[in-house]
Amino acid sequence: MGRTLRGRVTKVVPFGFFVQVADGVEGLVPLRDLGSVPVAALEDFVQIGDKVSVTVMSVDRDRRRLTLSQRPA
């Protein structure tokens, strides 16, 4: 946790977007963790295929879930 990674946006959903940070490893950036700038429409902020930097906020190994953030440290 706390590690900054670079990845590619793979999916945009109403509650955030998914980023592939390694082969077979994706995590969710929820809307609440998009950063300090308000976003009216998520599609205006990020598109599928965009390269983004994210910070690992939590890892749930049992459920195989990774929560990411774009908020400044």
Side-chain angles (χ1 to χ4, degrees), residues 31-51:
L31 285 176
R32 70 179 182 273
D33 290 325
L34 289 183
S36 57
V37 178
V39 177
L42 191 54
E43 292 78 17
D44 294 338
F45 182 76
V46 69
Q47 298 288 319
I48 293 173
D50 286 354
K51 300 274 185 176

Side-chain angles (χ1 to χ4, degrees), residues 39-62:
V39 177
L42 191 54
E43 292 78 17
D44 294 338
F45 182 76
V46 69
Q47 298 288 319
I48 293 173
D50 286 354
K51 300 274 185 176
V52 296
S53 292
V54 292
T55 303
V56 178
M57 301 306 291
S58 69
V59 177
D60 184 339
R61 293 181 195 274
D62 294 335

Side-chain angles (χ1 to χ4, degrees), residues 3-13 15-31 33-34 42 45-58 64-71:
R3 185 173 174 193
T4 300
L5 305 171
R6 188 136 174 92
R8 184 179 55 84
V9 176
T10 59
K11 187 175 186 181
V12 179
V13 292
F15 49 87
F17 60 93
F18 290 88
V19 177
Q20 181 179 7
V21 294
D23 286 338
V25 180
E26 285 186 338
L28 172 67
V29 178
L31 285 176
D33 290 325
L34 289 183
L42 191 54
F45 182 76
V46 69
Q47 298 288 319
I48 293 173
D50 286 354
K51 300 274 185 176
V52 296
S53 292
V54 292
T55 303
V56 178
M57 301 306 291
S58 69
R64 298 180 50 108
R65 292 191 181 176
L66 190 63
T67 304
L68 305 170
S69 174
Q70 282 200 310
R71 287 186 185 262

